[in-house]
Amino acid sequence: GVDTAFENEKGSKNLITYQGDLNYDGRVSMKDLAYLNAGAARANAGGGVAADVDANYDEKIDLADLAILDEDWGKSLHNGDQDFTGSGEALDWNTLDKQGDAEWTNTSFKEQNALEADPNFVGSLETVASGNLATGADGNTNAWDEDGTDMLGTEFQ
C-alpha cells in the first residue's frame, strides 16, 4: 500500500544565479557594479543598506561586496537563445515565468539571454574582441587571476 511516486505541488523550481549577480539577469557585469555603486551612495547618504545590493549579506556596503563581484566577474548562466545553465527537463524557458498559480517577471534575465545569443556579443572587458586585446586593471589578460592586483589590489585604491 505504499505509493512510491511523490509529486511536490507546494514548492517551486528555482534558478540560482551568482552571488555577484545583483540585478538577477544571469550575468555578473557592469550593471551589477552600478547597482553596488548606487547602494553604496544610498548608504553613505544615510539611507541605510539596501539588502538586494549587499552582495555578502553583512548589512554594509564595502570592499568585501566588491570582492564578491570581482570573484564572479564575467560569469554567465546564458548559453544561447533560450538556453541557460540549469535549463532542461526540470527548468525550461516557460517555467521561469509561471509555475502553478504563481507568475514572475524575468525581463532582465530574458533580455540578457537574447544579448548573449547574438554571435557578436562580447562578454567581458578582459576578452579578445575584434582582434584587439583588452586587459585587466593590472595590465594582464586574466580577470580572475589571484595575484591580488585586480579589483581589491592596488590598481583601484
Side-chain angles (χ1 to χ4, degrees), residues 5-6 13 16 33 58 61 80 83 118 128 143 151 154-155:
F6 172 77
K13 298 173 186 175
I16 307 299
L33 186 58
D58 66 354
I61 305 295
D83 183 30
D118 187 308
V128 177
M151 297 297 272
T154 58
E155 302 301 322

Side-chain angles (χ1 to χ4, degrees), residues 40-62:
R42 175 184 176 193
N44 287 338
V49 174
D52 57 345
V53 297
D54 182 10
N56 67 347
Y57 313 108
D58 66 354
E59 298 182 5
K60 55 186 172 180
I61 305 295
D62 56 15

Side-chain angles (χ1 to χ4, degrees), residues 75-148:
K75 294 180 182 176
S76 176
L77 297 176
H78 304 286
N79 301 322
D81 187 30
Q82 297 188 23
D83 183 30
F84 50 91
T85 301
S87 63
E89 286 183 29
L91 190 63
D92 62 18
W93 197 251
N94 293 325
T95 307
L96 283 176
D97 291 334
K98 184 175 182 177
Q99 294 179 42
D101 293 333
E103 292 187 37
W104 296 271
T105 301
N106 297 298
T107 306
S108 63
F109 186 84
K110 289 182 172 187
E111 287 174 353
Q112 187 65 36
N113 188 270
L115 283 172
E116 292 191 38
D118 187 308
N120 296 316
F121 177 76
V122 177
S124 174
L125 295 176
E126 297 196 359
T127 61
V128 177
S130 304
N132 297 321
L133 183 63
T135 60
D138 56 2
N140 67 32
T141 60
N142 188 353
W144 304 282
D145 55 4
E146 296 181 10
D147 66 1

Side-chain angles (χ1 to χ4, degrees), residues 26-70:
R27 175 179 198 76
V28 181
S29 66
M30 292 299 284
K31 291 178 185 177
D32 301 295
L33 186 58
Y35 273 65
L36 182 64
N37 186 51
R42 175 184 176 193
N44 287 338
V49 174
D52 57 345
V53 297
D54 182 10
N56 67 347
Y57 313 108
D58 66 354
E59 298 182 5
K60 55 186 172 180
I61 305 295
D62 56 15
L63 283 176
D65 297 295
L66 188 58
I68 299 292
L69 269 69
D70 184 40

